[in-house]
Amino acid sequence: MAAKLLSWACIRNENGGLSPRPHYPSMPKYPKGVNVSFDEESKALFSVIGMTCTACAGSVEKAVKRLPGIKEAVVDVLNNRAQVIFYPAFVNEETIRETIQDVGFRVTMIKEDTNDIYTQVCRIHIKEMSCTSCSTTLESALQAMHGVLKAQVVLATEEAEVQYYPKILSYYQILEAIEDAGFEAMLISAGEDRLQIQLQVLGIRTENSVRIIGNSLQALPGVQDIDFDLDLQKFTISYEPDLTGPRTLIKIIESTGSGQVKAIIFPEGGGREAHKQEEIKRYYRSFLWSLVFSVPVFLMSMVFMYLPGINHGLDTKIVNMLSIGEMLRWILSTPVQFIIGRRFYTGSYKALRLGSANMDVLIALGTNAAYFYSFYSILRAATSKSFKSTDFFETSSMLISFILLGKYLEVLAKGKTSEAIVKLMDLAPATATLLTLDNEGNLMNEEELDSRLIQKNDIIKITPGEKIACDGFVVWGQSHVNESMITGESRPVAKQKGDMVIGGTVNENGVLRIKATRVGSESALSHIVRLVESAQMAKAPVQKFADRISKFFVPLIIILSFGTWLAWFLAGELNSYPKSWIPTSMNSFQLALQFGISVMVIACPCALGLATPTAVMVGTGVGASQGVLIKGGQALESTYKVNCIVFDKTGTLTIGKPVVVNTRLLKNMVLREFYELVAAAEVNSEHPLAKAVIEYAKKLRLDEENPVWPEALNFESITGHGVKAIVRNKEVLVGNKSLMLAQNINIPLDAEEILSETEGLAQTGILVSIDRELVGILAISDPLKPGAREVVSILKAMEVKSIVVTGDNWGTANSIAKEAGIDTVFAEAKPENKAEKVKELQDEGYVVAMVGDGINDSPALVAADVGMAIGAGTDIAIEAADIVLMKSNLEDVITAIDLSRKTFFRIRLNYLWALGYNIISVPVAAGALFPSTGFRLPPWIAGAAMAASSVSVVCSSLLLKNYKRPKELDTLDVRGITIE
C-alpha cells in the first residue's frame, strides 16, 4: 500500500481499562424474559473431504441451505471447509454433518471454539480490469489466499467482495494482493457490521500528533477501531452509535489539537463515483488524442492516394525507396501505439504474469503485428533501392482508436447500469435542522448541520417539502410523508406522534420533529443500498457459463489467428488460389497477415462477460425502484423458474393487524381482570395475535395511556401453539386448541361449538385457561389483504400454483384460503413443518417460492428455492429471504416473478448476441467469404466491430430500465383497510 496506516482497536474491560476488541456479528434483540431463542445464531465449521471443483461446493451449499434454520452456508473448496451459520432452535450440527455426508463427501466437525472463527466481508473497487478473463483470474488469485473464505470479482461493477477470517488476514493484505496482481484497489467498506465515519484532519504535522489524537479517540466510550492515513490525513473511525457520534469525535479531535487542527467530513471526491467519472474522462481524452494522430494516418493511407497532387508529394522519396508518406505515417502512428496504447501493454503484462490471457493480449498482439511488420517494411525500403514497401500503420492506429471509443462508450453505459444505487444515495439530504430542547421540551436553539453529523437521539426539524434526514419517530407534529422513493408506495402516508419515519422520504404538508433512532449505515436507506450493492455483486449461476468460456477463449483465438495466417500464407505460396485475389498493393504474406490480425481483434470475450452482470445490475436496480429488493443473480435466476408459491397466512395473505372482535367468557369473571391476566401472559410474545390481545386489553383501561401489566413468571412460548406463564400465582395458558389438548385441559362441548362458529367466520379462536380450567375464548379477525384474490388469479394465469401453509387452525385457514381462491391448505404447522412442506413440494418437482413475514417463517424461507419476505415483517425473516417486498403488497410477488423473467430473457438475448457475434464474425474475419464474394474485413474495421459488440450488450441490458409491471396489476384494488 502506498499510504502509511496507523490502527487502533479497543474495548473497555470490566475494570474500566482498554483491551483488544473481539468482533461478533450483530444479532437481533428480543424482549427481556422471552425464553424462546429463534434468533440465536451458532456457527459450525466442518472439514469436507472429496470436493474437486466449484460444482461440488455448490451441491454441498445447496443441500445445507435447504435445511430448516440455516442462515448462511459458505463452502471453501480450496481449503476443504464449510462454515455454517444456523439457528439452533431448528437444526443442530449433527444434522448438518449428516446432510453434507448424504451429498457424498467425508465430513468431520472441526473441534474449535467456533465463536472465535468469525468472518468479515470487505468490498473493494478495482481499476484496470479489461475483460472477464481479468476478473476470473483475479478472483482465483484472491480465493487462493490463506484466510479467504469466498471471493467474488465482478467486471460490470469493477468491484470485489471478499469474505475472510480477520484473525488470519487483514483487508490491507487483500488490497496489497490485488495491487501485486497489477490492478489498482480502493477499499469501499471493511465490513457491514460497524458504523464508520471518515474524518479529514487538517493541521496535523507530526506522527506524534496523530498518536495523541488517536489515543484520545480510543479512550472514548463506544469507539471501536481507528485507522489513520497519513497521506490523506484521514481518520476512519468505527464506533457504537448508542455511546458516541460524529460531532463528539470532531470535538475531541479539535480540542486535543489545541485549536491548531480542524476536523471535517472527508470529501466525497475520493468515492467510487468520482473514480468512475475520472475513468470516463480518461478514456474520452485518450480517444480524442488517438484521433489527432490516427485520422491523418487514415487519410494518407485511404484517401489522399486518390488525389493526384497530394499523392505525388507523399510518394516523394527521402532515402532510397522510403517515401515522405511512409515516414509521416510511421511518426504519427508511433505515439498511438506506444503512448496512447500503453494501457494494452500493461494490461497484457498483468494478465500474463498471472498465467492468463485477456482482451489486452489480443489487442497488443494484433496491433504489434501490424505496427512492427510496417516498421520492418519501411526500414527495408530505407535501405534498399528496389524494395517497394507496403505498410499497415493505419491498421494499428485506427484499431487502437476504435477500441478506445468502444471502451469509452462501454464505461459510459456501465455507469448507467448502477444508476439505481446513485439515485438511492442521492435521496439522503445534504443538511438537516438540529433542535436543542430543554427538559420541558421548549426550543432553546436551532442550527443547520451536515446530515452526516446527526447522532442518535437528536431532535430534527422537518419542514414541508424537505427530505427526512434519518430514521426516527415523530415526537411532535403531524403530516403526510411520501415514501415512494423507498417503498414504491405511491400514496403519501399519514404521520403523527409516535409514528416511524424513514430517512430519504419527503415530508409533504406539515412541520414534524423527529427523534433520530438509526443514523449513518444503520438507516433503512443505507440497508437498502447495501442490499442492492450486494445483489449487483452476487453472480447468477448462469454466469458460470461465461466464466468457463473465458478461461480458454483468448488462447483459442490466438491459435485460430495464427492458423488463419498460416493457412492463407501457405495457400498463397503454393498457388492454391488465383493471384488475382491478391490486392495490387499487397503480396500473399501481407494478405495472410491482415486475415490473421482481423481474427485476433474481432473476437470479443467482453461481450460474454458482460451479458449476465449488466442485466442483473439493471434488473435489481429496477426492482429496488419498485419496492422489490432482489438479493442478486442467484435469486433472479431461481425466481424466473418458480412454479409454486407457498403463502403464510397472518401478515402475508392477511393485512397482519389482527383485532379482537369478540370475547366469550365461560366462567363468571370481570372482563377487565380477565384481560389483565391474558395481557400479562402475552406481553412478552412477538406474535401478531398477541399484540392484538394487548391492544384490546389497553382499551379496557382507558384511564391509563401505558398500563403496567402484572408480572409474568416462568414465561414460556410454545412454538406454533401459544404461551404459558404464572400471573398472580395463577397458571395462565393462552393459545390454540392443540395447546389445551397437549396440556390436558378439558374443552367443554359449548366451547367446541363457539370455536367452530368462530372459525367458520374466518376468525381465529384463542382459548384461555386459568389454573387448568378453560375460562374464555377470544375471536380474532385478520382481514384478507386487498387484491389478494386477484393476485392469486393472476399467478394461476402465469401457471404458478398457490398454497397456504399456516400455524393457524384448520377452520380459519380454510376460510381465508377460500376467500383468496387458493385450493391447497396446510394448517396448524409449526415452523419446522413449514420447511418440511416446502421440501416435499421440491421433491415433487416444483420450484418453490415461500412468502412470509415472521420469525416462524424463516426456516421455510431458507428452505425454499426463493424466499420472499414481506417488508413490514421481522428483521430475521428479511435476512433469511432472497427477495424483500418493501410495500408489503402481494402484487409485488407478481412483479418479482415477472421482472426476473424479463431479466433472464434479456440475459439469454445477450448471450445469443455475444455467442452469435463471435461464431459468425471470426470466420468472416478469417476470410470465409473472400473466395466467393471477394469480401474481406480490414483489421481496423474488425476492431470497431469488437468494440461495438461490448457496447451493444450493455445497451441491451439498459433496455430493462424501461420495464413496466404487468398491466393486470394496475387494475387491482389495493386501497388500504383502516383498523380502528
Side-chain angles (χ1 to χ4, degrees):
M1 297 290 290
K4 187 174 180 182
L5 295 156
L6 302 176
S7 298
W8 293 260
C10 61
I11 188 170
R12 294 192 176 276
N13 59 35
E14 58 187 13
N15 296 320
L18 298 171
S19 56
R21 182 186 64 84
H23 165 84
Y24 299 98
S26 57
M27 292 168 56
K29 292 183 173 63
Y30 267 67
K32 192 174 181 181
V34 178
N35 294 330
V36 177
S37 303
F38 289 122
D39 60 331
E40 283 188 5
E41 297 175 9
S42 286
K43 293 181 184 176
L45 194 63
F46 300 90
S47 171
V48 185
I49 306 301
M51 295 188 296
T52 57
C53 62
T54 53
C56 299
S59 62
V60 171
E61 192 170 310
K62 187 67 178 175
V64 172
K65 283 183 175 178
R66 285 193 169 182
L67 288 170
I70 301 295
K71 180 181 179 182
E72 185 181 357
V74 181
V75 181
D76 180 0
V77 69
L78 293 174
N79 295 312
N80 295 312
R81 289 190 172 192
Q83 179 179 275
V84 183
I85 302 174
F86 62 100
Y87 303 107
F90 305 120
V91 70
N92 57 36
E93 293 95 335
E94 184 57 22
T95 304
I96 298 168
R97 192 194 67 77
E98 289 174 357
T99 301
I100 299 174
Q101 191 168 286
D102 290 340
V103 179
F105 301 100
R106 189 153 47 89
V107 191
T108 54
M109 186 169 174
I110 299 175
K111 299 294 182 181
E112 293 181 33
D113 183 4
T114 53
N115 283 328
D116 289 337
I117 306 173
Y118 63 91
T119 63
Q120 283 187 357
V121 176
C122 67
R123 296 180 61 244
I124 300 163
H125 177 68
I126 300 171
K127 296 170 67 176
E128 308 299 334
M129 289 194 299
S130 61
C131 69
T132 188
S133 179
C134 295
S135 60
T136 52
T137 303
L138 182 57
E139 187 174 288
S140 299
L142 289 172
Q143 191 75 59
M145 289 181 71
H146 179 59
V148 170
L149 185 60
K150 187 177 183 181
Q152 283 192 147
V153 180
V154 179
L155 175 66
T157 60
E158 295 183 332
E159 289 180 13
E161 188 173 86
V162 184
Q163 185 177 11
Y164 64 100
Y165 297 107
K167 287 194 172 183
I168 301 173
L169 192 68
S170 72
Y171 61 80
Y172 298 120
Q173 291 171 291
I174 297 172
L175 291 172
E176 286 172 358
I178 294 171
E179 291 176 349
D180 288 343
F183 302 95
E184 287 186 46
M186 181 187 77
L187 185 70
I188 298 171
S189 65
E192 296 179 354
D193 57 308
R194 299 182 296 178
L195 203 56
Q196 281 190 345
I197 189 166
Q198 295 182 333
L199 299 175
Q200 187 171 33
V201 183
L202 306 175
I204 290 183
R205 292 179 176 83
T206 64
E207 286 193 20
N208 187 48
S209 300
V210 174
R211 289 192 178 89
I212 292 171
I213 292 174
N215 291 334
S216 298
L217 287 171
Q218 80 170 18
L220 280 176
V223 172
Q224 298 171 317
D225 288 348
I226 307 168
D227 293 328
F228 184 71
D229 188 322
L230 288 176
D231 290 348
L232 299 175
Q233 292 192 311
K234 179 181 73 173
F235 274 101
T236 301
I237 307 165
S238 302
Y239 63 94
E240 296 178 36
D242 288 325
L243 300 176
T244 190
R247 295 200 307 279
T248 306
L249 300 173
I250 288 174
K251 183 179 178 182
I252 292 296
I253 290 172
E254 293 182 345
S255 61
T256 304
S258 303
Q260 296 179 1
V261 299
K262 182 175 178 60
I264 58 172
I265 297 282
F266 191 77
E268 290 293 332
R272 283 169 294 161
E273 282 308 305
H275 281 275
K276 179 64 71 178
Q277 291 304 315
E278 178 57 34
E279 184 182 26
I280 291 171
K281 289 177 184 176
R282 192 169 66 249
Y283 274 115
Y284 182 66
R285 286 195 299 266
S286 297
F287 170 63
L288 289 182
W289 274 111
S290 70
L291 282 185
V292 169
F293 294 99
S294 300
V295 169
V297 174
F298 177 79
L299 291 175
M300 283 187 280
S301 298
M302 301 293 182
V303 179
F304 292 163
M305 65 173 63
Y306 300 110
L307 302 176
I310 298 175
N311 185 46
H312 178 74
L314 293 174
D315 273 345
T316 303
K317 303 296 187 262
I318 304 173
V319 179
N320 291 330
M321 295 298 290
L322 178 64
S323 68
I324 292 175
E326 290 166 341
M327 191 70 179
L328 286 174
R329 288 194 291 273
W330 172 58
I331 292 170
L332 289 170
S333 62
T334 298
V336 178
Q337 181 71 34
F338 297 108
I339 300 175
I340 298 171
R342 180 175 177 270
R343 69 182 67 244
F344 303 118
Y345 287 101
T346 56
S348 302
Y349 170 72
K350 292 170 187 175
L352 293 172
R353 196 176 67 170
L354 290 172
S356 69
N358 61 8
M359 190 189 75
D360 289 335
V361 173
L362 294 180
I363 296 168
L365 284 174
T367 56
N368 276 335
Y371 178 87
F372 283 106
Y373 174 78
S374 302
F375 181 70
Y376 159 77
S377 183
I378 65 167
L379 197 63
R380 187 174 173 188
T383 57
S384 171
K385 295 184 178 181
S386 59
F387 178 78
K388 183 171 175 60
S389 70
T390 301
D391 65 80
F392 298 134
F393 285 121
E394 84 285 348
T395 293
S396 64
S397 58
M398 289 302 294
L399 184 54
I400 288 173
S401 296
F402 274 116
I403 288 167
L404 288 173
L405 173 62
K407 294 298 288 183
Y408 166 69
L409 295 174
E410 185 183 315
V411 295
L412 204 63
K414 274 164 47 178
K416 293 184 181 297
T417 61
S418 56
E419 275 184 355
I421 290 179
V422 177
K423 287 179 179 177
L424 282 170
M425 289 177 169
D426 287 345
L427 289 178
T431 60
T433 304
L434 175 68
L435 302 181
T436 305
L437 308 177
D438 61 20
N439 293 333
E440 282 74 40
N442 299 314
L443 180 63
M444 295 177 62
N445 187 41
E446 184 175 313
E447 66 171 308
E448 190 174 276
L449 79 166
D450 191 314
S451 61
R452 292 169 294 179
L453 296 177
I454 295 174
Q455 300 185 175
K456 233 173 190 180
N457 300 320
D458 280 347
I459 304 297
I460 308 296
K461 177 184 174 183
I462 314 293
T463 56
E466 189 178 358
K467 287 181 180 178
I468 295 171
C470 61
D471 293 4
F473 63 89
V474 179
V475 294
W476 181 88
Q478 56 185 15
S479 181
H480 285 79
V481 174
N482 183 353
E483 298 182 345
S484 61
M485 60 289 299
I486 301 292
T487 66
E489 177 58 63
S490 58
R491 293 162 300 172
V493 181
K495 300 292 181 182
Q496 58 186 2
K497 186 177 179 180
D499 289 341
M500 298 300 296
V501 292
I502 306 171
T505 56
V506 179
N507 183 25
E508 293 276 341
N509 51 12
V511 178
L512 295 175
R513 290 181 186 174
I514 67 164
K515 187 172 186 177
T517 56
R518 293 191 295 183
V519 296
S521 60
E522 285 189 320
S523 68
L525 180 59
S526 295
H527 185 60
I528 291 169
V529 169
R530 286 199 301 272
L531 274 177
V532 177
E533 285 178 332
S534 296
Q536 295 187 343
M537 282 296 298
K539 290 185 179 181
V542 71
Q543 175 69 20
K544 293 176 183 175
F545 171 70
D547 290 344
R548 283 195 295 268
I549 290 178
S550 69
K551 292 178 182 178
F552 59 83
F553 186 90
V554 173
L556 177 64
I557 292 299
I558 292 172
I559 292 169
L560 287 174
S561 174
F562 180 76
T564 299
W565 168 79
L566 188 63
W568 277 103
F569 175 65
L570 291 176
E573 290 296 304
L574 299 173
N575 298 317
S576 298
Y577 60 80
K579 295 290 183 185
S580 60
W581 285 12
I582 304 174
T584 53
S585 59
M586 296 185 188
N587 57 33
S588 61
F589 175 85
Q590 294 164 341
L591 179 65
L593 182 64
Q594 284 220 341
F595 280 129
I597 293 172
S598 293
V599 170
M600 191 170 291
V601 298
I602 202 169
C604 187
C606 289
L608 280 169
L610 293 169
T612 298
T614 52
V616 169
M617 287 173 70
V618 179
T620 52
V622 167
S625 68
Q626 304 221 3
V628 179
L629 298 183
I630 303 170
K631 297 182 183 178
Q634 172 77 59
L636 268 172
E637 185 162 346
S638 299
T639 305
Y640 97 93
K641 300 175 183 176
V642 164
N643 54 14
C644 177
I645 291 190
V646 176
F647 290 99
D648 175 46
K649 183 184 76 69
T650 305
T652 303
L653 281 175
T654 61
I655 64 172
K657 291 185 178 178
V659 291
V660 177
V661 293
N662 194 12
T663 307
R664 301 286 290 273
L665 294 178
L666 305 177
K667 301 292 178 183
N668 289 324
M669 280 190 74
V670 177
L671 190 62
R672 175 168 165 155
E673 292 178 1
F674 169 78
Y675 267 101
E676 281 188 353
L677 296 175
V678 174
E682 290 277 36
V683 75
N684 287 323
S685 174
E686 285 291 300
H687 199 283
L689 297 182
K691 292 180 179 179
V693 172
I694 301 299
E695 289 302 314
Y696 189 80
K698 284 181 180 179
K699 292 180 181 179
L700 297 176
R701 295 176 61 170
L702 295 175
D703 54 323
E704 301 175 50
E705 186 176 345
N706 292 303
V708 178
W709 308 110
E711 185 180 6
L713 303 174
N714 301 329
F715 173 82
E716 183 182 354
S717 177
I718 303 163
T719 308
H721 296 289
V723 298
K724 180 181 180 181
I726 303 297
V727 183
R728 291 177 178 165
N729 295 321
K730 296 178 180 180
E731 183 188 68
V732 180
L733 284 169
V734 184
N736 55 22
K737 183 179 177 181
S738 59
L739 174 65
M740 300 301 158
L741 294 175
Q743 296 289 327
N744 297 316
I745 306 296
N746 180 50
I747 301 176
L749 185 60
D750 55 343
E752 294 274 13
E753 291 174 356
I754 294 170
L755 269 180
S756 299
E757 180 186 337
T758 300
E759 291 169 2
L761 296 171
Q763 297 169 355
T764 301
I766 300 295
L767 284 69
V768 179
S769 160
I770 298 176
D771 285 338
R772 311 198 61 77
E773 184 180 10
L774 194 67
V775 296
I777 299 174
L778 315 181
I780 298 179
S781 175
D782 187 9
L784 192 71
K785 275 186 179 175
R789 185 175 183 86
E790 291 81 357
V791 166
V792 171
S793 176
I794 295 171
L795 286 171
K796 200 170 190 178
M798 295 170 72
E799 298 183 355
V800 179
K801 179 183 178 71
S802 297
I803 294 173
V804 174
V805 177
T806 177
D808 213 337
N809 62 74
W810 279 96
T812 305
N814 280 322
S815 297
I816 289 292
K818 185 177 180 182
E819 193 178 345
I822 298 175
D823 300 325
T824 310
V825 181
F826 296 92
E828 299 180 7
K830 296 179 183 179
E832 58 269 28
N833 298 143
K834 292 183 181 182
E836 287 167 5
K837 186 59 199 173
V838 166
K839 283 191 263 188
E840 284 176 21
L841 291 166
Q842 289 169 332
D843 292 339
E844 291 174 19
Y846 288 105
V847 178
V848 181
M850 170 71 193
V851 186
D853 72 321
I855 295 170
N856 60 342
D857 297 322
S858 56
L861 288 170
V862 173
D865 296 283
V866 181
M868 297 187 186
I870 296 295
T874 62
D875 289 342
I876 194 170
I878 292 171
E879 194 66 36
D882 301 299
I883 297 176
V884 181
L885 311 178
M886 294 295 293
K887 287 182 285 187
S888 299
N889 287 341
L890 286 178
E891 61 188 271
D892 287 339
V893 172
I894 294 170
T895 302
I897 295 174
D898 184 66
L899 176 60
S900 66
R901 290 180 178 181
K902 294 284 198 314
T903 302
F904 262 80
F905 170 77
R906 187 61 54 184
I907 288 172
R908 287 197 188 99
L909 205 61
N910 288 349
Y911 271 127
L912 185 65
W913 164 251
L915 285 170
Y917 164 82
N918 283 296
I919 290 170
I920 294 170
S921 64
V922 170
V924 170
L929 300 178
F930 187 66
S932 57
T933 64
F935 176 79
R936 66 185 173 86
L937 211 57
W940 59 273
I941 293 180
M946 183 270 282
S949 175
S950 296
V951 175
S952 62
V953 166
V954 179
C955 291
S956 169
S957 295
L958 284 173
L959 291 175
L960 274 172
K961 295 179 77 173
N962 301 322
Y963 170 81
K964 303 291 182 188
R965 67 181 195 162
K967 292 180 180 178
E968 296 90 342
L969 295 180
D970 296 329
T971 62
L972 291 186
D973 179 17
V974 291
R975 288 171 295 180
I977 294 176
T978 303
I979 300 297
E980 296 296 336

Coordinates of all heavy atoms in Angstrom, one line a residue, residues 18 35 48 62 98 239 313 625 663 681 688 793-794 837 880 975:
L18 N -8.7 -0.6 28.7 CA -8.9 -0.9 27.4 C -8.2 -2.2 27.0 O -7.1 -2.5 27.5 CB -8.3 0.2 26.5 CG -8.9 1.6 26.6 CD1 -8.1 2.6 25.8 CD2 -10.4 1.5 26.1
N35 N -38.1 -16.8 26.6 CA -37.2 -17.9 26.7 C -36.9 -18.5 25.4 O -35.9 -19.2 25.2 CB -37.8 -19.0 27.6 CG -37.9 -18.5 29.1 OD1 -37.1 -17.7 29.5 ND2 -38.9 -19.0 29.8
V48 N -14.6 -30.9 4.9 CA -15.3 -31.7 3.9 C -14.3 -32.3 2.9 O -13.7 -31.5 2.1 CB -16.3 -30.8 3.1 CG1 -17.2 -31.6 2.2 CG2 -17.3 -30.1 4.1
K62 N -26.0 -26.0 -1.4 CA -27.4 -26.0 -1.7 C -28.1 -27.0 -0.7 O -29.2 -26.7 -0.2 CB -27.7 -26.5 -3.1 CG -29.1 -26.4 -3.6 CD -29.6 -25.0 -3.6 CE -31.1 -24.9 -4.1 NZ -31.6 -23.5 -4.0
E98 N -24.6 -34.8 8.8 CA -25.2 -35.9 8.1 C -25.7 -35.5 6.7 O -25.6 -36.2 5.7 CB -26.4 -36.4 8.9 CG -25.9 -37.2 10.1 CD -27.1 -37.6 11.0 OE1 -28.2 -37.3 10.7 OE2 -26.8 -38.3 12.0
Y239 N -17.5 3.1 15.4 CA -18.0 3.4 16.8 C -19.4 2.9 17.0 O -20.1 2.5 16.0 CB -18.0 4.9 17.0 CG -18.9 5.7 16.0 CD1 -20.3 6.0 16.4 CD2 -18.5 6.0 14.7 CE1 -21.1 6.6 15.5 CE2 -19.4 6.7 13.8 CZ -20.7 7.0 14.2 OH -21.5 7.6 13.4
G313 N 3.1 14.2 -53.8 CA 4.0 14.8 -52.8 C 4.3 13.7 -51.7 O 5.5 13.6 -51.3
S625 N -36.3 0.2 -7.4 CA -37.1 1.4 -7.6 C -38.6 1.1 -7.5 O -39.4 2.1 -7.2 CB -36.8 2.0 -9.0 OG -37.3 1.1 -10.0
T663 N -65.3 -11.6 22.6 CA -64.8 -12.3 23.7 C -66.0 -13.1 24.4 O -67.0 -12.5 24.6 CB -64.3 -11.4 24.8 OG1 -63.3 -10.5 24.1 CG2 -63.6 -12.1 25.9
A681 N -49.7 -12.4 30.3 CA -49.0 -13.6 29.7 C -48.6 -13.4 28.3 O -47.5 -13.9 27.9 CB -50.0 -14.8 29.8
P688 N -48.2 -11.6 16.2 CA -49.2 -10.6 15.8 C -50.6 -10.8 16.6 O -51.2 -9.8 17.0 CB -49.5 -10.8 14.3 CG -48.2 -11.4 13.8 CD -47.7 -12.3 14.9
S793 N -55.3 -15.1 -8.7 CA -55.8 -15.4 -10.0 C -54.8 -15.2 -11.1 O -54.6 -15.9 -12.1 CB -57.1 -14.5 -10.2 OG -57.6 -14.7 -11.5
I794 N -54.0 -14.0 -11.0 CA -53.0 -13.7 -12.0 C -51.9 -14.8 -11.9 O -51.4 -15.2 -13.0 CB -52.4 -12.3 -11.7 CG1 -53.5 -11.3 -12.0 CG2 -51.2 -12.0 -12.6 CD1 -53.1 -9.9 -11.5
K837 N -42.8 -29.0 4.5 CA -43.7 -28.9 3.4 C -43.1 -28.4 2.1 O -43.3 -28.9 1.0 CB -44.9 -28.1 3.8 CG -46.1 -28.1 2.8 CD -46.6 -29.5 2.6 CE -47.3 -29.6 1.3 NZ -47.7 -31.0 1.0
A880 N -33.4 -13.8 6.1 CA -33.4 -15.1 5.6 C -33.9 -15.2 4.1 O -33.6 -16.1 3.4 CB -34.3 -16.0 6.4
R975 N -56.5 -0.5 -2.1 CA -56.7 0.5 -1.1 C -56.7 -0.1 0.2 O -57.2 -1.2 0.5 CB -58.1 1.2 -1.3 CG -58.2 2.1 -2.6 CD -59.6 2.6 -2.9 NE -60.4 1.4 -3.2 CZ -61.7 1.5 -3.5 NH1 -62.3 2.7 -3.5 NH2 -62.4 0.5 -3.8

